[in-house]
């Protein structure tokens, strides 16, 4: 079911938490609201779920304006950060809870619960209490509890937070498969960029209550529209335009004064130099990351990150004077805004 | 030898640090109680044991006496009704406590605990003034408003006794309920609403069952206190109002029949234990989930 979020604003007292947030999500799409803590992503999700009412704006699910509807009338499945499984009910009872509310008869309940448990491969845990399951199993119960009601939309709030790193990736892939199998429109909230890249068709990067950019993972990485987005997804060197113009291969591209230039570390190059170069610096730190080497170069009172392949490059010592340049001028993007404490 | 014993108590592990308290309880609580209960099984006259012959005569006498069962029934329903009404008043208050702001929470907590600072005896007397005769607070107000023409007879009845019990024992129900309700996970209620349940259903299916540990604690305490209370039925029930506890007092202090007094005390104690055990067992059945390993 397609979702339309139109110009949502939310105030908590004097705090303006959401500013004109708009999203239009296609049927069956999986999107992620990505941002640092306090950027409003969870509030936006709760507005879509109905746990919060926006101060202004609309939430439209499949053509129906649900802005004023309570959560239980929206046909939305919600997976909470710590799963919120009912500790006094078994796994099967947890799954059956929503069906009971809908007055499904016993045999329907049984069939649907079994089907949902099979979907998340937890059939043999039906009669256990949630506390006795592992984190990953609990999460699958939470997802099954939402899916058993055949919601039109699935919402997940930081659903992978409580899992350890290895299990997290496995569960993200698992979720992606389940969601595609059921074909349900899904919105996730996370502050973890790799999670967003793994599970999403499109990512909405949020900062300070606004949606900075809403695009596919590739677009977000290759053509960020703001310095914040560039910095948040992957590492980025964000330089003022007049400084970037000193890079020989980049030249005067996008040198309008009010703009910033984003250069990915893998797009910067270094070579040892003796003479005076337009943009020179010294190697401050070097570390090997498997196939490539990462330098921290001090230049123009900044620290720049450079990532070069070791295959065609002799490693440089700390303190070596270097000249900086870019590989592909096309891959450098002009953005608006600035980044505090730029990497 | 003596020094090493002191050492063990002061520094030793295991049972030793508890030894002084244990000794105190044995000497001043368990032994007197055992002696009193033993009085139910040997003939006693005028405060002296006549012979060491063990007899079940007094127990048999009491259990075959219709009067005893009538008196016991009153103790029982006073206990049950007081517990029930305590729960009925305490639960909403404890629930509201978890919904309001910090300042109001403080007010509720202070109002709950404040009565405990005065003696229960004083509060029982206060109820005499409130419920009592023509000039009692309630009757005076009702008559001034013209709602009744003659003063209502409220004192010296089940009503007065239960009103007193409920007010005096209410804090013991409220406090455990506040503890369990304020530590609950609100996300579970959001989850329930999100799964389509109404607020009412969420309350009965999620909030109420999960507060069972507090309900059991409060119910046990209030029932034990009400079932065995002596002062409140004595003062608010009036002269003809007897419960088992009141009868124990009358047999031992007034009639000086220590045999029957001891038997009644024993029956009260044992039955109270049994009821508490029943409440706990019933509660545990409803709380099997708390045993699941984390």
């Amino acid at each position: 079911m397609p979702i339309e979020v139109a110009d949502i604003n939310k105030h908590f007292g004097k705090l303006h938490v959401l500013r004109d947030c708009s999203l239009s999500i296609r049927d069956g799409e999986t999107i992620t609201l990505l941002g640092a803590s306090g950027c409003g992503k969870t509030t936006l999700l709760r507005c879509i779920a109905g746990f919060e009412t926006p101060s202004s704006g609309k939430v439209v699910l499949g053509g129906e304006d649900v802005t004023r509807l309570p959560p239980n009338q929206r046909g939305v499945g919600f997976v909470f950060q710590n799963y919120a499984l009912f500790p006094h009910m078994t796994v099967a009872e947890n799954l059956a809870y929503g069906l009971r509310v809908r007055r499904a008869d016993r045999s329907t309940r049984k069939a649907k619960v079994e089907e949902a448990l099979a979907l998340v491969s937890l059939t043999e845990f039906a009669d256990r209490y949630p506390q006795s399951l592992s984190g990953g199993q609990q999460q699958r119960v939470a997802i099954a509890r939402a899916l058993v009601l055949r919601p039109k939309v699935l919402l997940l709030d930081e659903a992978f937070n409580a899992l350890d790193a290895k299990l997290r990736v496995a569960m993200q892939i698992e979720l992606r498969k389940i969601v595609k199998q059921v074909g349900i429109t899904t919105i996730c909230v996370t502050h973890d960029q790799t999670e967003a890249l793994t599970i999403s068709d499109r990512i909405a990067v949020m900062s300070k209550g606004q949606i900075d950019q809403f695009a596919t993972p590739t677009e977000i990485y290759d053509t960020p529209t703001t310095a914040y987005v560039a910095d948040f997804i992957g590492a980025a060197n964000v330089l003022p335009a007049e400084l970037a113009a000193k890079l020989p291969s980049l030249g005067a591209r996008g040198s309008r004064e009010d703009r910033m230039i984003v250069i990915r570390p893998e797009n910067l190059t270094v070579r040892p130099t003796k003479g005076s170069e337009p943009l020179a610096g010294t190697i401050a730190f070097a570390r090997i990351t498997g196939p490539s080497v990462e330098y921290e170069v001090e230049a123009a009172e900044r620290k720049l990150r450079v990532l070069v392949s070791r295959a065609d490059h002799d490693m440089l010592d700390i303190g070596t004077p270097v000249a900086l340049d870019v590989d592909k001028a096309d891959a450098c993007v002009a953005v608006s805004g600035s980044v505090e404490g730029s990497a | 030898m003596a020094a090493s014993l002191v050492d063990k108590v002061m520094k030793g592990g295991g049972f030793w640090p508890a030894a002084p308290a244990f000794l105190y309880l044995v000497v001043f609580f368990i032994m007197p109680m055992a002696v009193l209960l033993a009085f139910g099984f040997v003939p006693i006259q005028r405060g002296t044991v006549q012979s060491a012959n063990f007899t079940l005569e007094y127990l048999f006498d009491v259990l075959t006496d219709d009067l005893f069962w009538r008196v016991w029934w009153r103790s029982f329903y006073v206990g049950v009704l007081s517990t029930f009404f305590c729960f009925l008043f305490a639960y909403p208050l404890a629930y509201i406590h978890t919904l309001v702001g910090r300042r109001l929470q403080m007010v509720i907590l202070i109002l709950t605990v404040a009565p405990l600072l005065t003696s229960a005896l004083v509060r029982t007397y206060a109820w005499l003034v409130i419920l009592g005769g023509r000039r009692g607070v309630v009757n005076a107000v009702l008559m001034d408003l013209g709602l009744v023409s003659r003063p209502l007879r409220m004192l010296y009845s089940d009503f007065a006794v239960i009103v007193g019990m409920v007010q005096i024992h209410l804090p013991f129900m409220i406090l455990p309920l506040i503890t369990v309700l304020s530590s609950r996970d609100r996300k579970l209620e959001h989850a329930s609403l999100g799964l389509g349940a109404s607020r009412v259903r969420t309350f009965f299916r999620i909030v109420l069952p999960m507060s069972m540990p507090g309900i059991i604690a409060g119910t046990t305490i209030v029932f034990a206190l009400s079932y065995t209370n002596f002062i409140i039925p004595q003062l608010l029930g009036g002269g003809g109002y007897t419960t088992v506890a009141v009868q124990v007092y009358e047999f031992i202090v007034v009639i000086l029949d220590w045999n029957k007094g001891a038997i009644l005390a024993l029956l009260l104690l044992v039955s109270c234990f049994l009821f508490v055990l029943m409440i706990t067992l019933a509660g545990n059945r409803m709380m099997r989930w708390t045993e699941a390993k984390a």
Side-chain angles (χ1 to χ4, degrees):
Chain A
M1 170 159 303
I3 305 169
E4 203 69 43
V5 173
D7 298 318
I8 283 199
N9 279 277
K10 177 72 186 175
H11 300 264
F12 286 124
K14 281 181 187 159
L15 236 60
H16 198 165
V17 188
L18 293 176
R19 294 165 194 269
D20 300 320
C21 291
S22 296
L23 290 170
S24 110
I25 303 160
R26 291 186 286 270
D27 186 23
E29 197 174 23
T30 301
I31 75 133
T32 298
L33 306 175
L34 176 67
S37 62
C39 70
K41 57 192 189 299
T42 296
T43 310
L44 182 57
L45 190 76
R46 294 172 62 82
C47 283
I48 298 170
F51 295 127
E52 303 282 357
T53 314
S55 311
S56 68
K58 279 199 298 189
V59 178
V60 182
L61 297 184
E64 188 196 357
D65 183 350
V66 297
T67 319
R68 305 282 146 198
L69 283 186
N72 54 6
Q73 288 169 33
R74 292 191 180 195
V76 162
F78 201 96
V79 178
F80 288 84
Q81 188 165 2
N82 296 312
Y83 319 137
L85 298 175
F86 305 129
H88 60 300
M89 299 181 191
T90 62
V91 168
E93 285 166 350
N94 263 282
L95 262 60
Y97 186 82
L99 296 169
R100 242 176 234 277
V101 171
R102 285 160 183 71
R103 301 182 193 286
D105 60 57
R106 181 187 284 263
S107 57
T108 321
R109 276 203 315 258
K110 196 160 180 283
K112 285 192 170 179
V113 166
E114 270 169 15
E115 187 192 352
L117 280 175
L119 183 68
V120 295
S121 355
L122 282 176
T123 309
E124 65 268 46
F125 295 95
D127 296 322
R128 297 267 289 269
Y129 284 104
Q131 305 90 292
S132 65
L133 302 185
S134 73
Q137 290 165 338
Q138 288 187 24
Q139 195 205 26
R140 278 183 283 163
V141 175
I143 293 170
R145 185 176 69 177
L147 289 179
V148 75
L149 300 174
R150 302 267 161 79
K152 300 167 231 159
V153 175
L154 182 65
L155 307 177
L156 296 97
D157 182 11
E158 300 268 9
F160 301 93
N161 253 13
L163 305 177
D164 62 62
K166 211 171 178 184
L167 188 58
R168 193 179 301 183
V169 178
M171 285 306 299
Q172 284 161 5
I173 295 167
E174 194 75 6
L175 174 79
R176 182 106 174 119
K177 282 188 203 153
I178 293 172
V179 159
K180 287 295 156 201
Q181 190 183 339
V182 184
I184 187 173
T185 313
T186 306
I187 305 178
C188 307
V189 155
T190 184
H191 61 265
D192 178 353
Q193 46 144 326
T194 35
E195 178 180 324
L197 295 170
T198 311
I199 56 181
S200 329
D201 296 321
R202 283 195 291 169
I203 299 172
V205 184
M206 293 183 70
S207 70
K208 293 176 187 151
Q210 278 174 316
I211 295 171
D212 280 21
Q213 189 172 6
F214 181 38
T216 64
T218 333
E219 282 171 318
I220 296 260
Y221 189 82
D222 291 344
T223 54
T225 54
T226 70
Y228 181 85
V229 173
D231 191 48
F232 201 86
I233 298 268
N237 299 296
V238 183
L239 302 178
E242 70 267 22
L243 188 61
K246 290 184 183 170
L247 292 163
S249 310
L250 193 58
R253 274 177 60 97
S255 63
R256 296 215 314 276
E257 277 159 22
D258 59 327
R259 312 223 75 183
M260 307 288 287
I261 307 291
V262 173
I263 307 167
R264 296 289 179 193
E266 63 271 23
N267 197 20
L268 268 179
T269 60
V270 286
R271 67 185 158 76
T273 178
K274 291 191 185 84
S276 63
E277 302 281 345
L279 191 57
T282 49
I283 305 277
F285 188 74
R287 77 184 172 115
I288 290 183
T289 60
S292 43
V293 55
E294 188 183 278
Y295 294 113
E296 193 179 277
V297 178
E298 275 177 5
E301 292 168 352
R302 290 165 184 276
K303 289 183 173 122
L304 301 178
R305 276 209 212 166
V306 181
L307 196 69
V308 287
S309 165
R310 283 168 61 207
D312 43 27
H313 177 86
D314 293 325
M315 205 168 148
L316 299 168
D317 293 327
I318 292 173
T320 314
V322 289
L324 289 154
D325 200 355
V326 292
D327 248 0
K328 288 171 283 182
D330 293 347
C332 303
V333 190
V335 297
S336 55
S338 64
V339 178
E340 297 101 60
S342 160
Chain B
M1 179 68 197
S4 76
L5 191 65
V6 170
D7 244 30
K8 273 184 180 164
V9 170
M10 299 300 283
K11 298 172 193 155
F15 161 81
W16 286 106
F22 180 76
L23 208 67
Y24 180 89
L25 282 177
V26 168
V27 173
F28 295 104
F29 179 66
I30 296 180
M31 273 172 37
M33 186 104 99
V35 170
L36 172 72
L37 296 182
F39 284 174
F41 300 100
V42 287
I44 298 178
Q45 256 162 27
R46 296 190 194 149
T48 42
V49 177
Q50 298 298 307
S51 68
N53 293 337
F54 178 83
T55 169
L56 289 174
E57 182 192 338
Y58 308 110
L59 180 65
F60 188 74
D61 276 359
V62 168
L63 288 178
T64 51
D65 187 352
D66 278 354
L67 182 70
F68 166 74
W69 288 107
R70 280 209 298 279
V71 169
W72 173 81
W73 171 242
R74 177 174 277 158
S75 281
F76 179 72
Y77 74 66
V78 164
V80 170
L81 289 176
S82 303
T83 310
F84 174 74
F85 284 113
C86 266
F87 176 74
L88 216 60
F89 295 137
Y91 204 98
L93 194 72
Y95 188 67
I96 288 167
H97 174 271
T98 64
L99 299 181
V100 297
R102 254 171 205 287
R103 198 168 292 176
L104 214 50
Q105 280 189 336
M106 277 294 259
V107 173
I108 292 178
L109 209 59
I110 288 170
L111 287 180
T112 304
V113 178
L116 295 176
L117 301 177
T118 59
S119 125
L121 186 63
V122 173
R123 278 181 286 154
T124 312
Y125 274 117
W127 278 110
L128 278 177
V129 178
I130 296 169
L131 298 176
R134 174 176 284 274
R135 287 151 184 266
V137 177
V138 177
N139 271 331
V141 170
L142 287 178
M143 293 195 351
D144 282 354
L145 290 174
L147 292 173
V148 293
S149 50
R150 277 181 303 154
L152 295 174
R153 189 179 169 279
M154 286 176 293
L155 211 53
Y156 309 135
S157 64
D158 283 339
F159 172 75
V161 172
I162 288 167
V163 164
M165 292 253 190
V166 169
Q167 191 268 320
I168 285 166
H169 296 151
L170 202 53
F172 301 109
M173 186 68 94
I174 295 175
L175 292 176
L177 287 177
I178 283 184
T179 310
V180 68
L181 281 173
S182 55
S183 63
R184 75 186 197 269
D185 182 0
R186 308 289 171 88
K187 279 237 178 76
L188 298 178
E189 284 148 76
H190 285 303
S192 170
L193 294 175
L195 288 169
S198 62
R199 291 200 170 275
V200 176
R201 189 185 188 100
T202 300
F203 176 80
F204 283 104
R205 294 291 167 146
I206 308 296
V207 181
L208 198 62
M210 298 218 26
S211 55
M212 207 37 100
I215 297 175
I216 300 299
T219 311
T220 318
I221 299 170
V222 171
F223 179 79
L225 288 175
S226 307
Y227 180 62
T228 60
N229 193 298
F230 153 72
I231 284 287
I232 300 169
Q234 179 84 329
L235 291 181
L236 300 180
Y241 196 93
T242 31
T243 61
V244 178
V246 170
Q247 275 219 315
V248 171
Y249 171 81
E250 282 175 354
F251 273 115
I252 291 190
V253 177
V254 182
I255 310 174
L256 291 178
D257 184 343
W258 288 17
N259 290 129
K260 280 209 177 145
I263 288 293
L264 284 170
L266 177 75
L267 289 172
L268 189 63
L269 187 73
V270 169
S271 58
C272 187
F273 266 127
L274 286 178
F275 287 128
V276 167
L277 191 70
M278 277 161 57
I279 298 172
T280 316
L281 288 178
N284 283 348
R285 271 186 70 83
M286 284 182 267
M287 296 196 300
R288 252 174 306 184
W289 54 274
T290 56
E291 287 154 26
K293 265 190 301 187

